[in-house]
Every structure is written in C-alpha cells, then in structure tokens.
Amino acid sequence: MANRWLTSTLLATAIAAGSYYLGKDQNREKLTHNLNRVKSKLKKETKEEHDPYLKEKVGHSDPHDVEDNSMVNEGAMYSVNYYNEKLKS
C-alpha cells in the first residue's frame, strides 16, 4: 500500500512540475529546440542537408545574384571603412 502511495505521489509531483515548467512559451520553445537538436544529432543531419538551396550556395557565389553580391560588398566596405577610421584617429 505504501509503495502505491509513493508512486502516485511521485507521478503527480512530476506532472505538476512539468505543467508548471511548460506553462511558459519560452520554456516550450527551448524544449522543442533542444529536442530537434538532439534528433538531428542522432540522425547526423545538418541544416544544409535539409535545405537544398543552402547546399548549393555554400562556397559558390553567383555573379548574377544581385542581393547576395550587394550584401558581400556592403560587408566588405564596412570593414575597410572601420579600418580607415581607426587608422586616421
């Protein structure tokens, strides 16, 4: 009888704690994110394997992709301007 009472008490406590923890959206998002990470590690999958576009884009810039090239150009100019400003001061 005592064993049954102890088991039911522990089960009720675990359910209450889980409900309290998962009551917040942030905690649910963390749990979902972590479960997805563990699942992808077990399957040995990466983001590139899920998205064929990323697999195609990695290391190959397309000269006709204006958005990508302008982003790279802006990033390069930012670092050059930053270096020049530090050099002048």
Side-chain angles (χ1 to χ4, degrees), residues 19-78:
S19 298
Y20 177 75
Y21 180 76
L22 294 174
K24 294 183 181 179
D25 289 335
Q26 183 180 8
N27 292 341
R28 283 194 301 269
E29 289 177 16
K30 281 183 192 178
L31 182 65
T32 304
H33 177 70
N34 288 333
L35 286 175
N36 288 336
R37 284 181 56 206
V38 167
K39 188 170 32 171
S40 67
K41 281 185 181 182
L42 291 175
K43 291 181 178 181
K44 296 184 180 174
E45 295 177 343
T46 62
K47 176 73 173 163
E48 287 80 14
E49 291 169 347
H50 289 294
D51 197 351
Y53 175 73
L54 291 177
K55 196 170 192 177
E56 175 185 324
K57 290 285 289 184
V58 173
H60 306 287
S61 63
D62 183 9
H64 302 293
D65 190 358
V66 177
E67 291 179 14
D68 190 34
N69 291 332
S70 65
M71 180 181 67
V72 170
N73 184 29
E74 290 169 4
M77 290 308 298
Y78 176 79

